[in-house]
Amino acid sequence: MASKEAKISLKAAKGTRDWSGSDLLLRDHVFETISNIFKLHGGTPLDTPVFELREILSGKYGEDSKLIYNLEDQGGELCALRYDLTVPFARWLAMNNVQQIKRYQIAKVYRRDQPAIARGRMREFYQCDFDIAGQYDSMIPDAEILRVIAETFDALDQEIVIKLNHRKILDGLFAVAGVPPEKIRPISSAVDKLDKEPWDVVKKEMVEQKGLPEEVADKIGQYVLNKGTVDEMIQFIRSDANLSANDEIKAGLADMDLLSSYSKELNTFDKISFDLSLARGLDYYTGVIFEVIQKPSSNKEESRYPGKPTKGKEETSAGVGSIAAGGRYDNLVGMYGKKQIPCVGISFGVDRIFTILKARQGDKAGRSRQVDVYVMAFGGKEFDGLLLQRMSVARQLWEAGIRAEYSAKVKPRLPQQFKAAEDVPLAVILGQDELAEGKVRIKVLGTGKGGEEKKDDKDQGLLVSRDDLVQEIKKLLETTSLPIR
């Protein structure tokens, strides 16, 4: 007897999800909001392949390289799914010898991480990147990137904190503390966990796993457990004779002096927290680095603190952690071409932003479709469904740019039509007598659940001529008092 075939497991792959209805409309709103900001700053769109040659991606992501999805050899080339949009952008710059551009890209990336869908951590997810490439005077593009961040989250009605540090200051700090050059990147990756782990856990990793002497780890702790405004932290670093004597730190402080001035002019200064624990694990960063988190609910301001918060404390109210991140990478393009092209950019995590906006909606879920008018009909015993007339009205609305639907049944029942229209703000109701006079009724919906509108509601709607229908519909859609928007 032949064995039964195993049943197919009907589910999305781990760390992925399907998008539909109101969720997809909300995500598209995020895309549109972000891309409009990018265009406002002169951004040029770019699209790159979803997979790259493995050699393009290798050696760019530090300890996170283990998260790259490698593909099987399918014809002589070893490829991998892109991990981010930055490295493909650098490859494109070098390949096409582009010397200067403001570029933006919205696309999916892939990471073989442990997913946590409720917190917006996925294996397949969207990034929205904006980068400025080219030779410019110091910190001017960096300041504009911070402005792009601020404008984007203002448009999304999100209060944020831009956590910021400088790779030269961080590397100089490690050198002063006594970290050997070959251990700077591994120690940097450990320090980067301080937004999720308490100091004693990170210190234990440095000493027991990375082989750092305990006294050196303690010295690092004296420095990295400090944060404040840009001006406060510049003063703090300069007040330490050992730190202020280091050449790398001097160069980083010169950049931060400029950024302080520029950010005040661009009205981003108050959103910035200069946090010496911010490290960003990616190997290609060379200058300013930043991460964006939701502004904590507490109004307590701390310039310096003796210990880092316990795990999870710095995550947002929706538990998603950082919602955008980026920095300056001046040497990445030169890895692929003969000429270095300095770059600075930001990447917005759309899935995490979506998680926050979705949580903020609560029970007030958005509409699952963008239809403004439902065309319906009713009549007595001789009622034939008025299908051709419903088609005619729908065509009239479509030609006027109004989103409309009607039932795909010849003789639909009126309760079924109201049920189908329950998330639509307006109905155009056709009746045999009214049509004979060249008129239809416009009814505002949303006063009851599907199928209930006609039972108890004495409002039969506004009687208008077919010639005035489009004008009256547009008037109603422009008002803000409709129960369904």
Side-chain angles (χ1 to χ4, degrees), residues 292-309:
V292 182
I293 61 170
Q294 272 190 300
K295 189 174 184 179
S297 55
S298 170
N299 292 323
K300 224 171 163 188
E301 287 294 329
E302 292 182 289
S303 290
R304 308 216 174 96
Y305 45 98
K308 203 71 176 172

Side-chain angles (χ1 to χ4, degrees), residues 172-181 183-184 212-213 215-217 219-220 223:
L173 181 154
F174 289 148
V176 170
V179 178
K183 288 186 180 291
I184 284 181
L212 198 68
E215 61 273 16
V216 175
K219 190 70 173 174
I220 291 172
Y223 294 137

Side-chain angles (χ1 to χ4, degrees), residues 155 175 215 240 301 355 366 399:
E215 61 273 16
D240 186 299
E301 287 294 329
T355 299
E399 289 175 349

